[in-house]
Amino acid sequence: MITAVRTRAEALVADTLARLKALTPVRVIGEVIVMVATILLDLWPGPWAEQKVTGWALAGYVAVYLVLLPLRHVLPATVMIGAAAIPFLGPALMVVLSYTAGRRIESWVRAVVSTTITFVVVVLVWDWDVRPIDIEPVYGMLILITIFGVGVALPFLVGRYLAQREALVQAMQDREARLQVEHRMLSRQVRLRERSRIAQDMHDSLGHRLSLISVHAGALALDPSLGDKQREAIGVLRSAALTGMGELRAIIGVLRAEDGPDDDPATRTAESIDSLVADARKAGVLVSLVRGGQAHPLPSRVSHAAYRVAQEGLTNAAKHAPGAAVQVTVKYEPDALVVEVRNNPSRSGSPTGEPGVGLIGLSERVRVAGGILHVGALPSGGFRIAAVLPYEETALPGEPEDEQEELESPRGIRKWAGVGSIAGASIVLVIIIGGFTYLGAQPVTEVVTQQNLDQIHEGQPESEVVKLLPSGDEPLVGDGERRTHASPEPPGARCVYHVTDEQSYRDDGVRVVRFCFRDGKLVEKKIHVQRTKQ
């Protein structure tokens, strides 16, 4: 537990330092503009203007803003939840904090948990400190959802959507850069293959011409009519042709070695290492072969790579450490094949020959097979080449499977990135608009006309009185608002309050009539003035 907390703290400190190092003058200016705009919007026309906050209280409010706004980049979820619990904070600050939380929180689980906790905190603060006492519950819930949706949910979803789109654009740019590098590599490979084919054509055509020159020069040298100087010139010509043909074969042979018949994976497998070691012994190399483990079926690419490791190791040992003892090890481990070639130091005391490029090609071949190659000197002065090769076939970069995956992955990202944020924002808007639409369709209380009021009298049956009274609820104002300045209700009676249609500005309030029923009859009809709150 302590280790996990320490790790998270270290990661938080590292992330904070990285963000501080990445600050630019433009970002600093933008942050200052956001802070000043947030404070001014909440100062006027925000809640501070209504409270007429001045002096030390205003300084304290500004200080809280100056702490929370920069801290939102480090602890976005915590700051958003904490700000929702402070009643005097304005809506502009909540919008900024929610937007930043949406951009900074990456996990959708943390996003859902954070917004849920924030909603709970908003509900608790609403019930304890904000909600008007006389407001109807249904209207109160709608206002609460509207405040949370506009001030928290929508900015959070907008920030999350923009962050997902930004990540998508960055992924697409990285993919484009990677594809460009791969395209350059592929173009280089195509050029090299074309050069190899051109070299093969040159070997076939030019070698054939040089062979004809040599044959003709040899035949001409046998002509008895030629003198000594002519025979000497013909000999030089024939020797030059033979030398040029040999050099041509050597150079072209190197270019064609990768595609030649000696590189056929079908004839060079891990089982052929025995014959490879036997041929090395016939050539005078002191070599031993050690096999271990239970033999395992190998893919052709892996088997051929194992053969090439042994071949390259024996070639390097014979070239750089002639006369040294060599050991070839082929071991079948539970999850991989290990091929190792190690040789003792050279008898001459120092390696002979210059390093070649064979190990570079071998490293690429092992990588293509899905394995790992290790090359290095031994503490004893010898040299070691070892490869760890998997038993399973691995796909090559550029094969159809990889190309299909490479093409499908960005399409999937493009298809789903930001869909959750858009869907969430749509749900919030539907709830808000649908709620107000529903409430707008409900019947609203109409005033009691003087004509109906004159027809109602005490002792009249309740059913007749109800027919003359308006139906529905008065928006946003509960019964308590209309009975505040009324006289006490008759004992055991049930009373309803309605606004009359005859009002006067001299009353300095609203005229309200009270109807009280008991035992199914009207027992009181009384008008009072509901004073306006100052």
Side-chain angles (χ1 to χ4, degrees), residues 280-303:
R281 289 197 187 107
K282 293 178 182 179
V285 180
L286 300 176
V287 58
S288 60
L289 175 62
V290 178
R291 285 186 174 271
Q294 182 68 31
H296 194 283
L298 300 175
S300 60
R301 191 181 301 159
V302 175
S303 183

mmCIF file of all heavy atoms in Angstrom, residues 280-303:
data_model
loop_
_atom_site.group_PDB
_atom_site.id
_atom_site.type_symbol
_atom_site.label_atom_id
_atom_site.label_comp_id
_atom_site.label_asym_id
_atom_site.label_seq_id
_atom_site.Cartn_x
_atom_site.Cartn_y
_atom_site.Cartn_z
ATOM 1 N N ALA A 280 32.703 -28.596 -41.135
ATOM 2 C CA ALA A 280 33.725 -27.783 -40.485
ATOM 3 C C ALA A 280 34.855 -28.650 -39.949
ATOM 4 O O ALA A 280 36.034 -28.276 -40.007
ATOM 5 C CB ALA A 280 33.094 -26.957 -39.367
ATOM 6 N N ARG A 281 34.532 -29.845 -39.411
ATOM 7 C CA ARG A 281 35.576 -30.749 -38.924
ATOM 8 C C ARG A 281 36.466 -31.213 -40.080
ATOM 9 O O ARG A 281 37.691 -31.303 -39.937
ATOM 10 C CB ARG A 281 34.936 -31.961 -38.242
ATOM 11 C CG ARG A 281 34.284 -31.660 -36.899
ATOM 12 C CD ARG A 281 34.064 -32.937 -36.123
ATOM 13 N NE ARG A 281 33.286 -32.708 -34.890
ATOM 14 C CZ ARG A 281 32.033 -33.072 -34.724
ATOM 15 N NH1 ARG A 281 31.384 -33.689 -35.716
ATOM 16 N NH2 ARG A 281 31.424 -32.840 -33.595
ATOM 17 N N LYS A 282 35.860 -31.535 -41.239
ATOM 18 C CA LYS A 282 36.640 -31.964 -42.400
ATOM 19 C C LYS A 282 37.591 -30.867 -42.863
ATOM 20 O O LYS A 282 38.673 -31.161 -43.395
ATOM 21 C CB LYS A 282 35.702 -32.343 -43.537
ATOM 22 C CG LYS A 282 34.871 -33.584 -43.264
ATOM 23 C CD LYS A 282 33.927 -33.871 -44.423
ATOM 24 C CE LYS A 282 33.058 -35.089 -44.125
ATOM 25 N NZ LYS A 282 32.100 -35.362 -45.242
ATOM 26 N N ALA A 283 37.180 -29.596 -42.623
ATOM 27 C CA ALA A 283 38.040 -28.481 -43.020
ATOM 28 C C ALA A 283 39.124 -28.190 -41.996
ATOM 29 O O ALA A 283 39.925 -27.262 -42.189
ATOM 30 C CB ALA A 283 37.196 -27.236 -43.234
ATOM 31 N N GLY A 284 39.157 -28.944 -40.889
ATOM 32 C CA GLY A 284 40.207 -28.788 -39.900
ATOM 33 C C GLY A 284 39.835 -27.944 -38.700
ATOM 34 O O GLY A 284 40.710 -27.625 -37.878
ATOM 35 N N VAL A 285 38.577 -27.586 -38.522
ATOM 36 C CA VAL A 285 38.162 -26.799 -37.364
ATOM 37 C C VAL A 285 37.909 -27.718 -36.179
ATOM 38 O O VAL A 285 37.263 -28.769 -36.323
ATOM 39 C CB VAL A 285 36.890 -25.986 -37.683
ATOM 40 C CG1 VAL A 285 36.462 -25.165 -36.472
ATOM 41 C CG2 VAL A 285 37.130 -25.075 -38.876
ATOM 42 N N LEU A 286 38.437 -27.339 -35.003
ATOM 43 C CA LEU A 286 38.205 -28.117 -33.775
ATOM 44 C C LEU A 286 36.840 -27.720 -33.215
ATOM 45 O O LEU A 286 36.720 -26.788 -32.410
ATOM 46 C CB LEU A 286 39.310 -27.836 -32.755
ATOM 47 C CG LEU A 286 40.746 -28.169 -33.196
ATOM 48 C CD1 LEU A 286 41.746 -27.750 -32.131
ATOM 49 C CD2 LEU A 286 40.863 -29.659 -33.492
ATOM 50 N N VAL A 287 35.791 -28.404 -33.628
ATOM 51 C CA VAL A 287 34.440 -28.022 -33.273
ATOM 52 C C VAL A 287 33.719 -29.208 -32.645
ATOM 53 O O VAL A 287 33.919 -30.368 -33.045
ATOM 54 C CB VAL A 287 33.660 -27.518 -34.522
ATOM 55 C CG1 VAL A 287 33.608 -28.564 -35.595
ATOM 56 C CG2 VAL A 287 32.246 -27.056 -34.142
ATOM 57 N N SER A 288 32.873 -28.922 -31.631
ATOM 58 C CA SER A 288 32.046 -29.924 -30.977
ATOM 59 C C SER A 288 30.602 -29.456 -31.001
ATOM 60 O O SER A 288 30.314 -28.259 -31.000
ATOM 61 C CB SER A 288 32.497 -30.149 -29.529
ATOM 62 O OG SER A 288 32.399 -28.954 -28.774
ATOM 63 N N LEU A 289 29.679 -30.404 -31.010
ATOM 64 C CA LEU A 289 28.246 -30.105 -31.053
ATOM 65 C C LEU A 289 27.584 -30.681 -29.817
ATOM 66 O O LEU A 289 27.765 -31.861 -29.498
ATOM 67 C CB LEU A 289 27.613 -30.691 -32.318
ATOM 68 C CG LEU A 289 26.086 -30.551 -32.431
ATOM 69 C CD1 LEU A 289 25.668 -29.092 -32.466
ATOM 70 C CD2 LEU A 289 25.579 -31.297 -33.661
ATOM 71 N N VAL A 290 26.806 -29.838 -29.119
ATOM 72 C CA VAL A 290 26.074 -30.254 -27.920
ATOM 73 C C VAL A 290 24.602 -29.985 -28.169
ATOM 74 O O VAL A 290 24.213 -28.853 -28.486
ATOM 75 C CB VAL A 290 26.556 -29.481 -26.670
ATOM 76 C CG1 VAL A 290 25.745 -29.907 -25.456
ATOM 77 C CG2 VAL A 290 28.040 -29.701 -26.438
ATOM 78 N N ARG A 291 23.779 -31.008 -28.026
ATOM 79 C CA ARG A 291 22.332 -30.874 -28.156
ATOM 80 C C ARG A 291 21.669 -31.197 -26.826
ATOM 81 O O ARG A 291 22.137 -32.090 -26.093
ATOM 82 C CB ARG A 291 21.787 -31.799 -29.247
ATOM 83 C CG ARG A 291 22.073 -31.325 -30.676
ATOM 84 C CD ARG A 291 21.371 -32.211 -31.691
ATOM 85 N NE ARG A 291 21.514 -31.713 -33.053
ATOM 86 C CZ ARG A 291 20.685 -30.864 -33.631
ATOM 87 N NH1 ARG A 291 19.627 -30.423 -32.949
ATOM 88 N NH2 ARG A 291 20.881 -30.468 -34.876
ATOM 89 N N GLY A 292 20.595 -30.514 -26.523
ATOM 90 C CA GLY A 292 19.900 -30.747 -25.266
ATOM 91 C C GLY A 292 18.417 -30.459 -25.381
ATOM 92 O O GLY A 292 17.977 -29.722 -26.277
ATOM 93 N N GLY A 293 17.628 -31.032 -24.451
ATOM 94 C CA GLY A 293 16.192 -30.799 -24.439
ATOM 95 C C GLY A 293 15.450 -31.696 -25.405
ATOM 96 O O GLY A 293 16.046 -32.407 -26.230
ATOM 97 N N GLN A 294 14.126 -31.671 -25.280
ATOM 98 C CA GLN A 294 13.265 -32.454 -26.150
ATOM 99 C C GLN A 294 13.008 -31.676 -27.444
ATOM 100 O O GLN A 294 12.598 -30.515 -27.423
ATOM 101 C CB GLN A 294 11.921 -32.729 -25.436
ATOM 102 C CG GLN A 294 10.962 -33.589 -26.229
ATOM 103 C CD GLN A 294 11.450 -35.023 -26.382
ATOM 104 O OE1 GLN A 294 12.140 -35.556 -25.511
ATOM 105 N NE2 GLN A 294 11.128 -35.654 -27.507
ATOM 106 N N ALA A 295 13.292 -32.325 -28.578
ATOM 107 C CA ALA A 295 13.117 -31.664 -29.872
ATOM 108 C C ALA A 295 11.682 -31.180 -30.041
ATOM 109 O O ALA A 295 10.731 -31.859 -29.644
ATOM 110 C CB ALA A 295 13.507 -32.598 -31.005
ATOM 111 N N HIS A 296 11.531 -30.004 -30.636
ATOM 112 C CA HIS A 296 10.229 -29.372 -30.799
ATOM 113 C C HIS A 296 10.049 -28.994 -32.265
ATOM 114 O O HIS A 296 10.995 -28.521 -32.900
ATOM 115 C CB HIS A 296 10.140 -28.122 -29.910
ATOM 116 C CG HIS A 296 8.763 -27.589 -29.746
ATOM 117 N ND1 HIS A 296 8.130 -26.854 -30.719
ATOM 118 C CD2 HIS A 296 7.881 -27.670 -28.711
ATOM 119 C CE1 HIS A 296 6.929 -26.510 -30.292
ATOM 120 N NE2 HIS A 296 6.757 -26.980 -29.075
ATOM 121 N N PRO A 297 8.852 -29.175 -32.823
ATOM 122 C CA PRO A 297 8.648 -28.754 -34.224
ATOM 123 C C PRO A 297 8.883 -27.246 -34.365
ATOM 124 O O PRO A 297 8.414 -26.454 -33.547
ATOM 125 C CB PRO A 297 7.188 -29.119 -34.501
ATOM 126 C CG PRO A 297 6.841 -30.157 -33.467
ATOM 127 C CD PRO A 297 7.652 -29.827 -32.265
ATOM 128 N N LEU A 298 9.600 -26.888 -35.420
ATOM 129 C CA LEU A 298 9.961 -25.491 -35.629
ATOM 130 C C LEU A 298 9.382 -24.976 -36.946
ATOM 131 O O LEU A 298 9.404 -25.698 -37.947
ATOM 132 C CB LEU A 298 11.485 -25.324 -35.656
ATOM 133 C CG LEU A 298 12.252 -25.741 -34.402
ATOM 134 C CD1 LEU A 298 13.744 -25.632 -34.658
ATOM 135 C CD2 LEU A 298 11.849 -24.893 -33.220
ATOM 136 N N PRO A 299 8.899 -23.735 -36.975
ATOM 137 C CA PRO A 299 8.534 -23.126 -38.262
ATOM 138 C C PRO A 299 9.771 -23.003 -39.151
ATOM 139 O O PRO A 299 10.902 -22.923 -38.659
ATOM 140 C CB PRO A 299 7.989 -21.745 -37.859
ATOM 141 C CG PRO A 299 7.643 -21.863 -36.416
ATOM 142 C CD PRO A 299 8.590 -22.855 -35.831
ATOM 143 N N SER A 300 9.554 -22.997 -40.445
ATOM 144 C CA SER A 300 10.681 -22.976 -41.379
ATOM 145 C C SER A 300 11.552 -21.742 -41.172
ATOM 146 O O SER A 300 12.790 -21.834 -41.242
ATOM 147 C CB SER A 300 10.154 -23.026 -42.815
ATOM 148 O OG SER A 300 9.319 -21.900 -43.074
ATOM 149 N N ARG A 301 10.932 -20.606 -40.898
ATOM 150 C CA ARG A 301 11.701 -19.388 -40.711
ATOM 151 C C ARG A 301 12.587 -19.471 -39.477
ATOM 152 O O ARG A 301 13.756 -19.042 -39.505
ATOM 153 C CB ARG A 301 10.745 -18.207 -40.588
ATOM 154 C CG ARG A 301 11.406 -16.837 -40.640
ATOM 155 C CD ARG A 301 10.357 -15.757 -40.471
ATOM 156 N NE ARG A 301 9.344 -15.840 -41.517
ATOM 157 C CZ ARG A 301 8.140 -15.316 -41.416
ATOM 158 N NH1 ARG A 301 7.773 -14.719 -40.310
ATOM 159 N NH2 ARG A 301 7.284 -15.410 -42.417
ATOM 160 N N VAL A 302 12.080 -20.025 -38.395
ATOM 161 C CA VAL A 302 12.853 -20.177 -37.169
ATOM 162 C C VAL A 302 13.956 -21.211 -37.357
ATOM 163 O O VAL A 302 15.105 -21.013 -36.933
ATOM 164 C CB VAL A 302 11.916 -20.564 -36.006
ATOM 165 C CG1 VAL A 302 12.713 -20.848 -34.752
ATOM 166 C CG2 VAL A 302 10.892 -19.466 -35.750
ATOM 167 N N SER A 303 13.646 -22.334 -38.003
ATOM 168 C CA SER A 303 14.637 -23.385 -38.219
ATOM 169 C C SER A 303 15.786 -22.883 -39.079
ATOM 170 O O SER A 303 16.967 -23.171 -38.823
ATOM 171 C CB SER A 303 13.961 -24.598 -38.869
ATOM 172 O OG SER A 303 14.875 -25.659 -39.035
#
